[in-house]
Amino acid sequence: MYFCLSRLLFTVREALSKPRGCTEVHHRPKRGWIWNQFFVLEEHMGPDAQYVGKLHSNSDKGDGSVRYILSGEGAGTIFIINEETGDIHATKSLDRERKTHYVLHAQALDRNTEEALEPKSEFIIKVQDINDNAPKFPDGPFVATVPEMSEVGTSVLQVTATDADDPTYGNSARIVYSILQGQPYFSVDPKTGIIRTALANMDREAREHYTVVIQAKDMAGQVGGLSGSTTINITLTDVNDNPPTFPQKNYQLYVPESAQVGKPVGKIKANDEDLGVNADIKYSIINSEGANMFSISTDRDTREGIISLKKPLNYERKKTYTLHIEGTNTHVDPRFSYLGSFKDTATLKITVGDVDEAPIFSMDYYIMDVYENVPSGTEVGMVTARDPDSRNSPVRYFLDSKEEGVRYFRIEENSGLIRTTQPLDREAMPWHNITVMASEVDSPSLLSHVPVTVQVLDVNDNPPEIATDEEVIVCESSRPGQLIQTVTAVDKDDFANGQRFSFALPSQLPVNPNFTLKDNEDSTASILARRRRFNHLTQELYELPIVVWDGGEPSLSGTSTLTLRVCPCQSYGKVRMCQGEAFLSSAGLSTGALIAILLCIVILLAIVVLFITLRRSKKEPLIISEEDIRENVVTYDDEGGGEADTEAFDIIALRNPAAAEELKFRRDVRPETRKHVDPPRSRRSPSVELDEVDVHEFIKQRLVEADMDTSVPPYDSLQTYAYEGQGSPTGSISPLDSPGTQSEQDYNYLDDWGPEFQKLAELYGEAESDVTT
């Protein structure tokens, strides 16, 4: 069929404007050169070119003076035109699916002058569709799933076919779907392509996979239409529609009595045709007899019930056990509750096998005790073991030789009695751990072990000792009764109610004039000073023996000797520290001053040596005149005496020479202060004392001592003593004869004022000491 459409449109011309008063005339001449479109069928297979249409101008009189020209898409190749008639033909077969239309331009020229008779006109040649493309499924084949036991009409999948033909022209692209394979299980909607279930209660366990073929046909399914098909592989997914089932109702299992607690002893399995979580099973023992001795758990991989032992088996006590085992689905679908309870039960009978077992001790462990120092062979305790088997074989005992504690003990092979092999010392090892092994006489390879702990009980066999962890310091400024150190005692023995100690000084030794000991009755003792002031230059170290008793039965005592060191002390709060150079600071001398003094002394000594050397070289006598006899004449010509008299000699010696023999004071050495000096009961007159001692003999003795004394200057010293008589009835006003009255003022607080007041404290301390003495 050929179509030729030519539309002729007339051109409207407007008249020019005229002056007022004139009428306007409108002319509408017809126009015949405005083209719209032509149509041409696709896929033309005829022998001749396909006629498309005809171009015509109103100026064409049919005499051949008009020439038609065609330009644009496909002009001259696909489309040709007759220049004289204006007929257009298509020389090639066209495909609408490749190109739907072509845009061309037409022109009419005067053949003689080549002038354009008509303006250039554009028109379109549209390719008209024919049904030459079958429907296709671009995404096929398909895979789909649907739950088993689904209701009829459950949607599975929607498939869509495409057709390349023109959907706006005819029925070439109007598709209808139909099912070629898969009935009666599935159906397809002819218009939408939705696939649905067509059969109720499809069971996955009966059939899981289905192949469905869907056809798409154009021309609305009419005869002569083109078609295409695709395949859908549908799989039924699982739902929990099958309960677990044991293959049989009764099972038997053999378990030896030697099976270990907590270890698996058997397996049981219930079958479930479902998959995944729908086939998960939980096993349980529902009777008390089996649940007390056994437990069951589920293996997630194999879905088996693993039976384990909870308590030891004993063939001699119980030979069989019956277990009622239940298997239940853990994920139940309520839609299928009408099918019944999703669980099943089975009975398992367990037979206990007899095994030759090792001996069993009567206790899991033993704790025994024995006193220390007991003789070898002393009984410690006994262990017992028996053969658990029915034949009750005899048992023998022995110790594990690899342990260190074995050398202190031995065990009787038949009775299990443990004895010592040597005396034990609690202070060296208070606990002993040994292992006793037992075996049957008939089966020595079967061994059992039991730990035995032996506690060594204490006896009072160690004397106490003084704990001397710290150095005992005695300050030079100590006063009578002042606390020097608090001491404690240690004892290696163990006392159940706590250690109690008593302290005292040795009774067989004379009274210590320097220190005394006070028992505090709380297992401590205090060392107290008995005299005033100590001097480390005179004596630095003192030894003090102390006897300490413990509270044991019987009580033991020990003597410990403490070494006390005298040194200057510096107070820091309540803590006193020994200062090595405290005597320098007390004198107000620094290190630099001391060095300067030493240098001066060395220079003076050098001058003296030089002077003596020069004098000897001149051989001049040392004594220049008779009056220079280098004698020191000390006279006492005053009545009362005074403090200055004591710098040369203490006149009290003349009044009581016997007491002077005991004192023997030296002016270059500070006398030690005695703590308690009992005053005389009655004051004796000087006359009585002089009658008892010969003063002349006493003076001679003092002279000999002065000659032998190396601390006096290198020349004779004459000391004279005059006896004045018995004295007046009123007595003497000199303090030299006073009986040691002490001042009301106490200067002991000066000791706590630091090194700046150390010298002052010593001066007052000496004065008080002299009065006390």
Side-chain angles (χ1 to χ4, degrees), residues 427-599:
E427 288 71 33
M429 186 178 296
W431 294 88
H432 295 269
N433 296 315
I434 59 177
T435 300
V436 177
M437 294 185 291
S439 66
E440 297 180 12
V441 176
D442 298 336
S443 301
S445 60
L446 295 177
L447 299 177
S448 58
H449 307 74
V450 67
V452 178
T453 300
V454 179
Q455 180 184 9
V456 181
L457 301 180
D458 183 61
V459 297
N460 192 18
D461 59 343
N462 291 277
E465 299 177 353
I466 298 295
T468 56
D469 296 336
E470 300 179 357
E471 184 180 22
V472 180
I473 301 298
V474 179
C475 295
E476 290 186 337
S477 60
S478 298
R479 299 183 297 273
Q482 181 174 345
L483 176 64
I484 301 299
Q485 181 84 8
T486 300
V487 296
T488 59
V490 293
D491 196 326
K492 295 180 181 179
D493 294 321
D494 182 22
F495 295 91
N497 298 323
Q499 295 181 347
R500 298 286 299 175
F501 299 105
S502 302
F503 303 85
L505 296 178
S507 58
Q508 67 273 15
L509 297 180
V511 177
N512 193 313
N514 302 310
F515 305 99
T516 185
L517 186 70
K518 177 185 177 183
D519 191 345
N520 298 325
E521 298 183 356
D522 60 353
S523 297
T524 64
S526 300
I527 301 175
L528 305 176
R530 298 192 64 179
R531 50 176 283 194
R532 180 181 298 277
R533 299 196 173 278
F534 295 84
N535 192 331
H536 75 285
L537 299 177
T538 303
Q539 183 173 354
E540 182 179 8
L541 299 178
Y542 292 87
E543 290 185 350
L544 181 64
I546 298 176
V547 182
V548 56
W549 291 268
D550 60 21
E553 291 293 339
S555 178
L556 297 181
S557 64
T559 302
S560 301
T561 301
L562 298 182
T563 301
L564 290 73
R565 186 164 71 93
V566 179
C567 67
C569 295
Q570 178 65 49
S571 297
Y572 294 94
K574 295 183 179 181
V575 180
R576 294 191 173 187
M577 299 182 65
C578 187
Q579 299 292 333
E581 297 182 357
F583 69 94
L584 296 179
S585 60
S586 64
L589 298 178
S590 62
T591 304
L594 181 61
I595 295 175
I597 292 174
L598 293 177
L599 290 176

Side-chain angles (χ1 to χ4, degrees), residues 296-314:
I296 188 169
S297 60
T298 303
D299 189 325
R300 293 186 177 181
D301 296 331
T302 62
R303 292 189 175 91
E304 294 176 326
I306 308 300
I307 302 171
S308 301
L309 188 62
K310 292 175 62 176
K311 298 179 181 180
L313 297 175
N314 191 335

